[in-house]
Amino acid sequence: MFYSYTLGILLFVAGSYALYDSSSDVVELTPSNFDRLVTKSDEVWIVEFFAPWCGHCKNLVPEYKKAARALKGIIKVGAIDADQYKEFAQKYGVTGFPTIKVFTGSKHTPYQGQRTAEAFVDAGIKAAKEKAYDNLGKKSSGSSSDKSDVITLTDSNFKELVLDSEDLWLVEFFAPWCGHCKNLEPHWAKAATELKGKVKLGALDATVHQAMASRYQVQGYPTIKLFPAGKKTSDSVEDYNGGRTASDIVAWALEKLAENIAPPEIVQVVNEETMKACSEKPLCVVSILPHILDCNAACRNDYISILTRLGEKYKNKMWGWVWTEAGAQPALEEALELGGFGYPAMAVVNAKKLKFSTLRGSFSESGINEFLRDLSFGRGQTAPVKGAEMPKIVTTEPWDGKDGELPPEEDIDLSDVDLEKDEL
């Protein structure tokens, strides 16, 4: 009798701490079977790291079991008690519950979709499709469009990625079950793509990563915060107060970017590194200024001042700005077809697409502004860079800021020359 009573108690305790019973299609994982079943397997796995006492984990059970049943024979679905196996879970960056990851062998990515059976099925099928295309040595036809430019943030990576960076960040604190968050998701993703290279957009599941959500007093979902460029303090973090469409988010972010970033430096092209730095920008504004013997230091500085003011005006575009002296970089002039227009001259090049547009108007503040304004609205004619590659750059000495000097004339000794006319 005592044995039966004790066994009943043990079964009750075991049952109260297990989220998935043996009749479920969710595979029970432990540190002893994890590598054999998951990381050393050829199969795709969706794995939940849970804690038995976690309310969100308990709420997830019906949908997770439904997904496991639907994916049976197609994708493996498993769960591991990360509270019991804390040290093992930490190897996979688990800091909150539930944490869900998609495994393809030893590779794993965080699951960022909704917590519904349909969303789990979609994620599993997508991972299997990508694996199949990898086996073919090709990219999945949907991989580039499915990939979001929104950066996944957690309690463990927040400091490194956001707080310690020099970038300006917009961070969404969301809850997976929040309807407004779901409505925002496509707009947030589109804005992240449009702002790529200028402002970073991140998303943090505040129901899982509660330390950062608490630190920044997140009380509703979604909450969006601005973390400024450069050094970040608690006082410098701002609440987002713009609209919820992609265009609203982009406009608000660019306005804040213009307030935060310093104007670009107008850099002289003196070696490959100076040109490469400009080429890595969305657009590179290249000016060919007259030779110092044709335009003295004051004249050259006037041109550089014009470029500096326009760099300030268009700084939120994150363009690069460079200049070189006429004749110093012949390959650059030839590639951008700048040799036949006289000096000064200007071209704006997209080094990734190997296309450029040339200033046809006057090299004046108003003329350049009109040219750049048209480019910023997508107007203006473009041409392919000659040679279908960025040109080679010659290493030269940087300008010393002084006027040019003519080379000294050679003294000719005429003492030995007989200037008298030869007699006939």
Side-chain angles (χ1 to χ4, degrees):
M1 182 70 178
F2 174 76
Y3 173 78
S4 299
Y5 175 77
T6 304
L7 179 61
I9 292 293
L10 289 173
L11 288 173
F12 172 77
V13 171
S16 66
Y17 282 91
L19 296 186
Y20 302 99
D21 55 40
S22 58
S23 64
S24 166
D25 293 303
V26 178
V27 179
E28 180 184 357
L29 297 170
T30 66
S32 61
N33 68 11
F34 198 91
D35 285 343
R36 176 172 56 85
L37 294 180
V38 180
T39 61
K40 294 181 180 178
S41 166
D42 288 332
E43 296 174 293
V44 173
W45 280 80
I46 301 174
V47 177
E48 176 197 5
F49 294 81
F50 71 88
W53 44 260
C54 159
H56 293 299
C57 302
K58 293 175 183 177
N59 293 337
L60 178 64
V61 169
E63 291 296 309
Y64 202 63
K65 289 171 71 174
K66 192 188 300 182
R69 188 164 57 251
L71 288 168
K72 189 173 182 179
I74 307 169
I75 307 292
K76 293 286 189 179
V77 178
I80 181 169
D81 187 339
D83 187 53
Q84 180 179 356
Y85 305 113
K86 291 185 178 69
E87 188 173 340
F88 181 82
Q90 286 173 0
K91 286 170 48 180
Y92 294 100
V94 176
T95 57
F97 309 114
T99 292
I100 303 167
K101 293 180 178 286
V102 180
F103 284 79
T104 306
S106 60
K107 296 179 182 178
H108 57 88
T109 56
Y111 172 80
Q112 293 299 321
Q114 299 178 20
R115 295 181 183 179
T116 64
E118 291 83 357
F120 289 129
V121 168
D122 288 342
I125 297 300
K126 177 188 169 189
K129 181 180 178 183
E130 289 176 355
K131 183 178 186 300
Y133 271 86
D134 284 342
N135 291 341
L136 288 173
K138 297 181 178 180
K139 283 189 175 181
S140 168
S141 58
S143 61
S144 60
S145 60
D146 291 341
K147 184 173 170 133
S148 171
D149 291 309
V150 177
I151 298 167
T152 302
L153 298 171
T154 66
D155 283 340
S156 58
N157 70 13
F158 200 92
K159 181 177 184 298
E160 178 187 356
L161 294 184
V162 180
L163 301 181
D164 292 344
S165 80
E166 293 295 316
D167 300 304
L168 187 147
W169 279 79
L170 274 178
V171 177
E172 176 202 4
F173 296 82
F174 71 93
W177 43 259
C178 158
H180 293 300
C181 304
K182 294 173 185 176
N183 292 336
L184 176 64
E185 186 176 0
H187 296 282
W188 196 246
K190 185 177 180 184
T193 299
E194 291 187 30
L195 291 166
K196 192 172 183 179
K198 301 175 184 177
V199 179
K200 290 189 174 179
L201 267 66
L204 181 140
D205 184 343
T207 65
V208 173
H209 306 285
Q210 298 177 3
M212 285 300 159
S214 174
R215 177 174 177 176
Y216 294 105
Q217 301 177 340
V218 174
Q219 298 178 337
Y221 308 114
T223 292
I224 301 172
K225 302 268 185 183
L226 170 77
F227 293 79
K231 186 177 180 181
K232 298 167 179 61
T233 64
S234 297
D235 294 337
S236 66
V237 178
E238 294 182 41
D239 288 326
Y240 174 82
N241 56 11
R244 296 295 173 90
T245 67
S247 58
D248 290 333
I249 296 164
V250 170
W252 194 91
L254 290 179
E255 185 177 333
K256 290 296 179 181
L257 181 66
E259 295 173 7
N260 278 265
I261 63 171
E265 183 183 358
I266 313 301
V267 180
Q268 183 183 2
V269 179
V270 294
N271 50 37
E272 286 283 358
E273 287 71 26
T274 50
M275 191 63 206
K276 181 182 177 184
C278 190
S279 297
E280 289 173 348
K281 301 290 185 179
L283 293 176
C284 178
V285 183
V286 180
S287 297
I288 311 294
L289 302 184
H291 193 281
I292 194 64
L293 294 177
D294 298 324
C295 172
N296 61 19
C299 167
R300 178 173 288 183
N301 282 324
D302 284 343
Y303 285 130
I304 293 175
S305 294
I306 290 173
L307 297 175
T308 300
R309 289 193 294 273
L310 288 165
E312 165 76 34
K313 182 170 184 177
Y314 290 94
K315 66 180 182 178
N316 66 332
K317 302 293 184 183
M318 305 294 285
W319 295 340
W321 295 69
V322 295
W323 69 274
T324 185
E325 182 178 78
Q329 301 294 341
L332 181 63
E333 292 188 39
E334 182 180 359
L336 303 182
E337 300 179 2
L338 289 173
F341 298 102
Y343 306 107
M346 174 182 284
V348 176
V349 60
N350 184 323
K352 291 180 180 177
K353 295 182 178 180
L354 292 174
K355 290 187 176 181
F356 71 94
S357 185
T358 307
L359 171 67
R360 302 293 183 183
S362 66
F363 197 100
S364 63
E365 192 157 349
S366 60
I368 298 171
N369 178 57
E370 184 177 348
F371 169 57
L372 297 179
R373 186 185 61 211
D374 285 347
L375 284 180
S376 67
F377 287 115
R379 297 196 293 263
Q381 294 182 337
T382 61
V385 174
K386 288 187 70 176
E389 64 179 0
M390 291 301 290
K392 299 293 183 185
I393 299 299
V394 179
T395 299
T396 61
E397 290 295 322
W399 179 45
D400 60 8
K402 300 178 182 178
D403 287 334
E405 294 182 4
L406 289 169
E409 295 183 3
E410 293 184 16
D411 293 329
I412 302 175
D413 185 3
L414 300 178
S415 60
D416 294 334
V417 178
D418 185 0
L419 298 179
E420 292 183 3
K421 188 174 181 181
D422 291 335
E423 295 181 1
L424 294 176

